[in-house]
Amino acid sequence: MKVAVIGTGYVGVTTGVALAMSGPEVTGVDVDEEKIRLLQTGKSPIYEPGLDEALVDVISRGKLEFTTDHTVALLSAQIIFICVGTPSDQEGRADLRVFKDLIDQVHHLLCHDDDERILVIKSTVPVGSNDQVAELFSDCPQIHVVSNPEFLREGSALQDSLQPARIVMGASSTQAFERLEQLYKNIEAPRIKTSRLNAEMIKYASNAFLSMRISFMNELARLSDKLGTDISIIATGMGLDSRIGPEFLRAGLGYGGSCFPKDIIALLSIAEERDEPLTILYQVAKVNEQQPTWFLQKLEQRLGDLANKRIALLGLSFKPNTDDIREAPAQKLLTILREKEALITAYDPVAMPNMQRVLSGEQVTYTQTPYEAVNASDAVILCTEWGEFLELDYERVYHIMRKPLIFDGRNALPHSELGKIGFEYVGIGNQVGSLV
Ligand code: UDX
């Protein structure tokens, strides 16, 4: 069985590698020649733990290859995965231009070929889009359209693809389900076989629900600050209820990344279009938008005017173990701090080149080490809970800072230990204040 994976972003590369590891021969395709050249040498264009090693392994065993030639890859494949991005457009809707062009290209190339093929859509597309694709292919019944949403998390993308929590398949023919089952036969996970509409909605609803948990906790954290309760302990207490569960209850600077923000806005606009506005989800997005500003107000309450204050940011990626800075709270903080004329130093183990590309200039200095970043600063803000930051020599940090003030945007640091050293610690919804 031969598989073509079109689009070599997070989802495409990881899907290609995971499939190649579990059975079929896979060809990854992209229009970006530079990316393809890099992938051909076994290097992933994105930072993702374990991905480079796995790439080298499957390429060397002849299980995975990369090309910019769509025609050859499509014609030789029995299963075609569509993994191109669907970013937000100006109005917040999913921008489907690349997706639609590609579908037209596949239709044009394969509709008159008699071979049976499965067209698997992994790209997150508005509910109903895949039925429209199926409608387009109704003049070529040998091509079956399946919605097969992807739930991988950046930072553990490969593991999530190899051991997913579930495999959701939306199709309207038994052949399609059977072929996909055959493809996934080595992957153990509960299956949900349903309509394309339901499959698409499961993806949006999952991301919306997880975001809702985060915004709920972030709003509760603001109240916690006023009441003197500790949101981390409250989350632990809540999470032990099996009806709630412990995941996605961590308060912080808000959710970021390539999926939650874009998918929430897209679902909101899908609902608006149907005149069924999702009021809860609207507030979820609003709370998330406000969270970095709310946090900086706490900093201003402590430091006064931020102009010419030296602020060190630790962590720039939207979460640890990735170099992805899309919608990262750190990016929002950097922008606001610059507007307030603060002097910023910033450090991240892997995301600095990406942030430098979008935000540089006199007010921001990117440093080689976390210690350089915090040196002579008036405050440190932990934006991303990289393991490296949890293990810093905080005695050293204390001695090189101008003021020993730590703003923990992820409630990740051991605040009582920091208090013993002499730091003033400010977290999110855990108003412990000075522990000296
Ligand atoms: C998410 C979904 O988890 C995944 O299923 C989907 O396919 C793509 O979107 P990802 O964006 O990689 O994956 O990251 P995830 O681990 O879900 O975290 C999203 C954001 O929420 C991050 O910014 C993270 O820091 C934040 N978060 C997560 C919290 O603020 N609190 C939490 O308790 C959990």
Side-chain angles (χ1 to χ4, degrees):
M1 191 189 298
K2 279 201 155 196
V3 176
V5 177
I6 320 286
T8 57
Y10 262 100
V11 173
V13 173
T14 318
T15 301
V17 171
L19 287 172
M21 283 170 85
S22 67
E25 281 173 30
V26 182
T27 306
V29 191
D30 205 293
V31 286
D32 186 333
E33 288 179 9
E34 203 183 316
K35 211 192 244 186
I36 289 299
R37 263 199 301 275
L38 196 67
L39 284 162
Q40 282 167 338
T41 65
K43 290 202 178 69
S44 161
I46 45 175
Y47 173 84
E48 186 60 42
L51 196 55
D52 276 339
E53 294 85 337
L55 257 175
V56 170
D57 174 55
V58 282
I59 291 173
S60 66
R61 288 195 286 120
K63 303 290 284 181
L64 178 61
E65 58 180 14
F66 291 96
T67 178
T68 51
D69 191 337
H70 282 71
T71 309
V72 172
L74 287 170
L75 283 170
S76 58
Q78 291 85 49
I79 300 194
I80 297 151
F81 277 83
I82 304 293
C83 300
V84 293
T86 51
S88 299
D89 70 10
Q90 300 269 322
E91 277 82 46
R93 291 180 305 230
D95 182 347
L96 297 180
R97 280 174 300 177
V98 173
F99 175 79
K100 283 183 174 163
D101 282 354
L102 182 58
I103 295 295
D104 285 342
Q105 201 182 334
V106 177
H107 182 257
H108 179 75
L109 197 69
L110 299 180
C111 199
H112 302 295
D113 190 297
D114 290 337
D115 289 353
E116 189 167 80
R117 287 189 170 86
I118 311 287
L119 182 61
V120 187
I121 317 287
K122 274 216 173 279
S123 303
T124 304
V125 286
V127 180
S129 307
N130 287 322
D131 275 354
Q132 284 171 15
V133 175
E135 181 61 34
L136 177 72
F137 281 88
S138 57
D139 54 346
C140 29
Q142 78 283 13
I143 299 182
H144 307 269
V145 178
V146 184
S147 169
N148 177 216
E150 181 53 62
F151 300 96
L152 63 81
R153 293 162 299 173
E154 292 182 24
S156 53
L158 191 56
Q159 194 198 334
D160 285 354
S161 296
L162 292 167
Q163 294 164 324
R166 74 289 214 191
I167 296 177
V168 176
M169 310 175 201
S172 53
S173 71
T174 41
Q175 292 100 310
F177 287 127
E178 278 166 14
R179 293 294 289 280
L180 221 58
E181 271 296 357
Q182 215 182 333
L183 184 73
Y184 287 134
K185 67 176 190 296
N186 294 327
I187 299 187
E188 249 182 71
R191 268 67 166 159
I192 295 193
K193 293 178 192 160
T194 182
S195 66
R196 285 182 283 264
L197 284 177
N198 285 341
E200 290 162 329
M201 191 58 175
I202 288 171
K203 167 76 187 198
Y204 277 110
S206 302
N207 280 354
F209 190 79
L210 292 171
S211 314
M212 182 180 73
R213 287 172 69 106
I214 298 169
S215 279
F216 179 83
M217 295 310 286
N218 282 340
E219 210 172 30
L220 219 55
R222 297 183 202 170
L223 178 62
S224 264
D225 263 355
K226 297 261 164 73
L227 296 176
T229 48
D230 184 335
I231 196 70
S232 305
I233 309 237
I234 290 156
T236 308
M238 289 166 67
L240 287 170
D241 184 329
S242 62
R243 293 168 302 175
I244 299 174
E247 301 284 340
F248 280 73
L249 294 179
R250 274 180 290 115
L253 285 167
Y255 58 79
S258 65
C259 284
F260 283 2
K262 132 181 120 61
D263 291 350
I264 273 72
I265 296 174
L267 184 55
L268 284 171
S269 87
I270 293 168
E272 286 282 341
E273 277 166 19
R274 303 294 153 101
D275 207 16
E276 247 352 299
L278 295 173
T279 51
I280 295 175
L281 197 59
Y282 176 78
Q283 296 301 334
V284 167
K286 201 162 167 191
V287 169
N288 197 60
E289 209 180 286
Q290 294 162 341
Q291 195 70 354
T293 320
W294 169 80
F295 195 53
L296 281 187
Q297 277 167 4
K298 282 159 66 106
L299 184 67
E300 277 178 316
Q301 276 162 15
R302 181 63 190 74
L303 284 183
D305 186 1
L306 295 180
N308 295 317
K309 297 275 166 34
R310 300 179 74 91
I311 312 294
L313 297 194
L314 294 184
L316 299 172
S317 53
F318 81 97
K319 67 174 194 178
N321 299 321
T322 175
D323 63 352
D324 197 341
I325 57 154
R326 283 175 287 178
E327 303 286 338
Q331 195 167 339
K332 295 181 200 162
L333 291 182
L334 266 172
T335 308
I336 306 171
L337 285 168
R338 274 215 317 194
E339 282 162 14
K340 293 188 180 283
E341 297 179 11
L343 302 171
I344 308 151
T345 45
Y347 170 82
D348 186 284
V350 296
M352 281 195 297
N354 284 343
M355 192 62 90
Q356 266 168 312
R357 269 192 282 277
V358 293
L359 259 166
S360 56
E362 278 178 12
Q363 271 171 264
V364 191
T365 309
Y366 294 94
T367 64
Q368 293 304 310
T369 69
Y371 297 104
E372 269 179 73
V374 304
N375 191 37
S377 60
D378 293 297
V380 167
I381 305 181
L382 180 87
C383 302
T384 319
E385 66 278 33
W386 282 94
E388 179 177 340
F389 301 143
L390 312 187
E391 283 157 22
L392 288 184
D393 176 353
Y394 279 98
E395 293 275 0
R396 181 174 167 196
V397 172
Y398 177 80
H399 286 108
I400 59 179
M401 283 181 75
R402 194 145 72 187
K403 288 198 181 84
L405 180 57
I406 293 204
F407 271 68
D408 182 356
R410 294 290 172 186
N411 287 350
L413 298 173
H415 52 65
S416 39
E417 280 167 42
L418 294 177
K420 279 182 207 142
I421 296 173
F423 282 104
E424 185 179 343
Y425 173 93
V426 181
I428 291 194
N430 57 356
Q431 197 54 281
V432 289
S434 172
L435 294 165
V436 188

